Amino acid sequence: MTSIRKLIIAFLLTISLIVVLPIGRVDAADDYTALQAARDATAAAVAAEANYRENSFTAFETDLAALGGLAAADLLLNDLNADQIAVDAMTASLNALLDHLVAKTAYNQVSNAYLSADARNLTPYTERSKAVYEAALDEVADVLLDPRSGDDLVLAQLVVLTDAEAALVLLADKTDLLAAVAAAQAAYATDGSSYIPSTFAAYQTAYDAFATEILAIVLRTVDDIVADVDASVPEADAALASVEAALALLVIRPDKTTLAAAYAVAAALDLSPYTPLTAPLFTAGLIPIETVIDDPEALEADVAAAEQALLDLYDVLVL
């Protein structure tokens, strides 16, 4: 009897384990919570149809019906032995439907901004920036036309529109630039005799760089910008600054006629009446003045200083 009783007890324990631990069972407390929340949110969306764009809600209903409607979610919720993968898949599908809904308020806000942007007069802007702007508007239009865009994506188009507006660049009026270029060309075409030689050489180098030097920020050469009918304001401003900087290198050769004439008179002066001490001082004082006259690099200030020095030099002489 004892052996038989032991066998019966072992059999009953085995049966109880099978009953307590069913294979494939999901835990309701942990596994159905997300599905229940998604199901309730979907039902709330159905009840709030008036809040959504008509075409968006129609797409929502179509997609929900393809899932089997709320009944399919309820079936899973009521199935204590539902497969976890099926529960999670239904949860994800319902949340995706909700994410694709477009509310009227979101749509209207972005649609109004789009219409305002689309009505903008683009005439003052470069073709390059207009192309970027119009491509951005096309992108926004595609999102607005898609019934499954969802509020987040729709509202994100406000940033796209703001960035598109910021990308617009004004077309340049190149009047000042072309005038400066004409002056630069005229100076370059001369033999340079009107300028101090070193400054004309520096100018020639700067002028030649108009065709090769890439300007900072705009990343184009002066010649490219001058030739481009679609040049922007920043580009034209950068080119103008470069041309004006080159022209500023030129220094007009000073007129030494008066100085040379005064020097000739001083050099021919009969110094015999003056003391042996002061006459040599006068002669020595003429040397730096002659140097200025002969120096092709002498500036206007140097000539003026030499003229004054020559006048002061007469005060050295003593009879």
Side-chain angles (χ1 to χ4, degrees):
M1 288 293 291
T2 302
S3 297
I4 293 174
R5 289 179 63 188
K6 287 181 179 180
L7 289 172
I8 292 172
I9 291 172
F11 175 76
L12 291 175
L13 286 172
T14 301
I15 293 299
S16 67
L17 287 173
I18 294 173
V19 172
V20 172
L21 301 173
I23 298 174
R25 168 74 182 275
V26 296
D27 187 89
D30 295 331
D31 299 328
Y32 291 101
T33 304
L35 176 56
Q36 184 66 60
R39 189 267 179 209
D40 292 345
T42 302
V46 171
E49 175 182 356
N51 294 336
Y52 300 104
R53 286 274 298 165
E54 182 178 351
N55 65 342
S56 181
F57 192 80
T58 298
F60 170 78
E61 286 185 314
T62 299
D63 296 341
L64 181 59
L67 289 176
L70 290 174
D74 291 338
L75 185 63
L76 283 172
L77 288 169
N78 293 324
D79 183 359
L80 296 181
N81 293 314
D83 182 73
Q84 183 64 57
I85 294 176
V87 170
D88 291 344
M90 178 60 74
T91 302
S93 296
L94 291 178
N95 285 330
L97 294 186
L98 293 168
D99 289 341
H100 292 164
L101 274 169
V102 179
K104 289 179 179 178
T105 53
Y107 177 88
N108 290 340
Q109 182 181 0
V110 177
S111 178
N112 289 337
Y114 168 80
L115 292 175
S116 177
D118 191 47
R120 177 185 293 276
N121 177 17
L122 299 181
T123 303
Y125 304 103
T126 65
E127 292 298 326
R128 288 166 291 162
S129 66
K130 284 193 288 187
V132 173
Y133 184 81
E134 289 168 345
L137 261 61
D138 289 342
E139 176 185 333
V140 174
D142 288 342
V143 171
L144 289 175
L145 290 172
D146 184 355
R148 296 178 176 83
S149 291
D151 283 351
D152 288 345
L153 182 57
V154 168
L155 290 173
Q157 301 316 297
L158 293 173
V159 176
V160 175
L161 291 172
T162 299
D163 290 345
E165 181 179 357
L168 286 172
V169 182
L170 288 170
L171 186 66
D173 176 355
K174 294 194 289 187
T175 302
D176 292 342
L177 173 59
L178 295 178
V181 169
Q185 291 171 337
Y188 190 82
T190 69
D191 60 5
S193 59
S194 297
Y195 306 101
I196 291 178
S198 62
T199 68
F200 188 70
Y203 169 74
Q204 287 177 308
T205 300
Y207 183 93
D208 291 338
F210 292 166
T212 58
E213 182 182 356
I214 303 299
L215 301 179
I217 302 178
V218 297
L219 303 180
R220 302 185 71 186
T221 67
V222 170
D223 285 358
D224 285 343
I225 295 169
V226 171
D228 187 2
V229 296
D230 195 46
S232 67
V233 168
E235 290 169 338
D237 287 348
L240 178 60
S242 181
V243 175
E244 289 179 337
L247 288 169
L249 294 172
L250 290 171
V251 178
I252 299 294
R253 189 190 295 268
D255 183 359
K256 301 178 184 178
T257 304
T258 302
L259 176 61
Y263 172 82
V265 171
L269 181 65
D270 179 10
L271 299 178
S272 59
Y274 302 100
T275 65
L277 180 63
T278 61
L281 291 177
F282 184 85
T283 301
L286 291 175
I287 295 174
I289 295 171
E290 183 181 16
T291 299
V292 171
I293 294 172
D294 294 337
D295 183 7
E297 293 293 315
L299 302 174
E300 184 68 43
D302 297 327
V303 173
E307 289 175 343
Q308 186 61 50
L310 183 54
L311 290 174
D312 295 341
L313 189 57
Y314 284 97
D315 295 336
V316 173
L317 294 171
V318 177
L319 292 171

